[in-house]
Amino acid sequence: MLNLLSAPDWKDYTLLDSGNGLKLERFGPYTFVRPEHQAVWRPALAKKDWQSAHATFRATSGDETGGRWDVHKPVEPAWEMRYRGLGFYARFSNSRHLGVFPEQAAHWDWMGEQIRRAEGPVRVLNLFGYTGLASLAAAQAGAQVTHVDAAKKSVGWAQENQALSRLEGRPLRWLVDDALKFVQRESRRQSYYDGILLDPPKFGRGPKGEVWEVFEMLPQLLDACRTILSPQPLFLVITAYAIRASALSLYYAVQERLSSLGGEVEAGELVVPERSGGRLLSTAIYSRWRR
């Protein structure tokens, strides 16, 4: 029932090493040290390999945003990365993140397969879409995509990635909106989707200050998403980061709402293979359904 998913086709990203609560990664031409509380083992590489990183994120609190980047070597303000035909920019942000979650590529590939196998047009909704890589992967596979994120800056970044991927002519709709309110409006409009992706944060705020708390509001959002699935939907994917929950919680939440559609539900962890020690670093839990 529980699976470990990884994305083996990366060329522009590598998890070089991890340990002592940190991870050493390569994003394109640059290497970075970022916090990783699950890395409770010892690093495999020598100290000098870690000290040669271009920048280090110094966390000042336990959440995703508290801290600062210490830059040790010159780094471009934004640099290009690619994954299986998609182009996108990585750059420093106000948090520890760089604009791409490499482990999510396992979902991009799987979703692309569902879309390419479908008969007729496919409408996909990407909620909490961040910098748009899942949206671009869906469009690349042939879907009509609606991308929703509460941060105007992230949506602008996503549009830059669309241009870099040469997907300007694809049917992509970029919206700055609150995810739950948008889905509720779509339900009233009887606007339906064949595939839905959700990547909710643990805590966040909408564009008008709406408060998002995952344990309190996720059941309501999943209920609303069920009402906008088309009569013959293809898939639903949900990923959760940095929460105290098992993948089983997502599995049963999805199963409960979609069991009447048949198909299959799976759940597990997204993992990144480490080059130095051969370990698998778990980064998120997920559940997904397909017809």
Side-chain angles (χ1 to χ4, degrees), residues 72-114:
H72 316 302
K73 301 178 184 178
V75 176
E76 292 292 325
W79 62 97
E80 295 182 19
M81 293 179 62
R82 304 200 71 82
Y83 179 82
R84 301 186 81 175
L86 293 178
F88 45 92
Y89 291 104
R91 54 167 65 95
F92 292 125
S93 68
N94 293 330
S95 69
R96 67 190 69 189
H97 304 303
L98 295 163
V100 54
F101 290 82
E103 62 277 6
Q104 287 275 354
H107 287 331
W108 309 340
D109 296 342
W110 179 87
M111 175 183 58
E113 291 174 7
Q114 315 310 312

Side-chain angles (χ1 to χ4, degrees), residues 3 52 54 59 66 79 90 99 143 149 160 175 178 198 203 220-221 282:
N3 304 312
S52 67
H54 289 81
W79 62 97
D149 195 274
E160 291 181 73
L175 301 176
D178 176 77
L198 305 94
F203 178 84
Q220 185 180 0
L221 179 58
S282 176

Side-chain angles (χ1 to χ4, degrees), residues 21-96:
L22 300 169
K23 55 186 174 181
L24 176 64
E25 303 164 285
R26 179 181 66 84
F27 285 79
Y30 305 116
T31 56
F32 303 98
V33 176
R34 298 193 292 168
E36 180 48 69
H37 69 272
Q38 295 200 78
V40 295
W41 45 81
R42 296 186 182 89
L45 295 179
K47 190 174 182 180
K48 63 180 178 60
D49 297 308
W50 288 73
Q51 292 173 334
S52 67
H54 289 81
T56 300
F57 188 84
R58 309 288 184 187
T60 56
S61 67
D63 61 22
E64 296 294 308
T65 58
R68 71 180 191 278
W69 283 100
D70 289 344
V71 180
H72 316 302
K73 301 178 184 178
V75 176
E76 292 292 325
W79 62 97
E80 295 182 19
M81 293 179 62
R82 304 200 71 82
Y83 179 82
R84 301 186 81 175
L86 293 178
F88 45 92
Y89 291 104
R91 54 167 65 95
F92 292 125
S93 68
N94 293 330
S95 69
R96 67 190 69 189

Side-chain angles (χ1 to χ4, degrees), residues 128 178 180 200-206 209-221 241-244:
F128 311 98
D178 176 77
L180 178 58
K202 180 170 61 175
F203 178 84
R205 292 191 181 275
E210 302 92 338
V211 175
W212 168 267
E213 199 287 318
V214 67
F215 289 111
E216 179 181 341
M217 303 189 70
L218 182 59
Q220 185 180 0
L221 179 58
Y241 288 82
I243 66 171
R244 293 182 179 180

Side-chain angles (χ1 to χ4, degrees), residues 4 6 29 58 61-62 64 66 75 83 97 115 118 122 124 126 134 161 163 186 191 209 226 237 261 279:
L4 299 179
S6 64
R58 309 288 184 187
S61 67
E64 296 294 308
V75 176
Y83 179 82
H97 304 303
I115 295 168
V122 176
V124 170
N126 186 13
N161 291 337
E186 290 291 85
S191 179
R226 178 66 180 88
V237 181
L261 298 174
R279 296 168 289 215

Side-chain angles (χ1 to χ4, degrees), residues 161-178:
N161 291 337
Q162 180 184 11
L164 192 59
S165 296
R166 299 183 179 179
L167 293 172
E168 296 99 323
R170 300 298 177 94
L172 277 152
R173 185 165 58 139
W174 305 103
L175 301 176
V176 178
D177 208 336
D178 176 77

